[in-house]
Amino acid sequence: MNICLVSGRPVRPAIAFGESKALKFVLATDHRRHDDPSKKWTSYVPCVVFDPTKFHQTTLCNEEARKQFVQGQGRISRTSYETSKGDRRYSTEVVLDPDTLVIRGGR
């Protein structure tokens, strides 16, 4: 089963693709170490939402997006492509379900 739960703050405003049929953005998620809770680190999770609502578009595509807290459920998707030099590259992102996407404002 491929289910992923993510939460964090957008690093920058989302980019809309295909007449706003998809939004791409990166979430910064903070973690604490199990062996030393005083230490934390940040992971950057690339996300995409297909068929986003107007609310998702207006909230995530403006400069205020970094002040929002985003959480949602989706699946991990891994794709590959070949560069012009013939090298294979891989891309991993979380494809979020727009029905589970929750956005809360303010820091």
Side-chain angles (χ1 to χ4, degrees), residues 23-74:
L23 294 178
K24 282 193 169 197
F25 55 95
V26 176
L27 288 181
T29 62
D30 293 328
H31 307 275
R32 297 213 180 267
R33 291 181 51 159
H34 297 291
D35 60 338
D36 187 356
S38 66
K39 295 182 182 177
K40 69 176 189 175
W41 75 93
T42 302
S43 295
Y44 297 93
V45 182
C47 300
V48 64
V49 178
F50 293 103
D51 296 322
T53 65
K54 284 286 187 197
F55 173 74
H56 295 146
Q57 293 173 29
T58 56
T59 306
L60 293 174
C61 289
N62 67 47
E63 287 299 321
E64 297 293 313
R66 286 177 272 200
K67 295 180 181 176
Q68 307 300 321
F69 183 79
V70 178
Q71 61 188 30
Q73 177 178 314

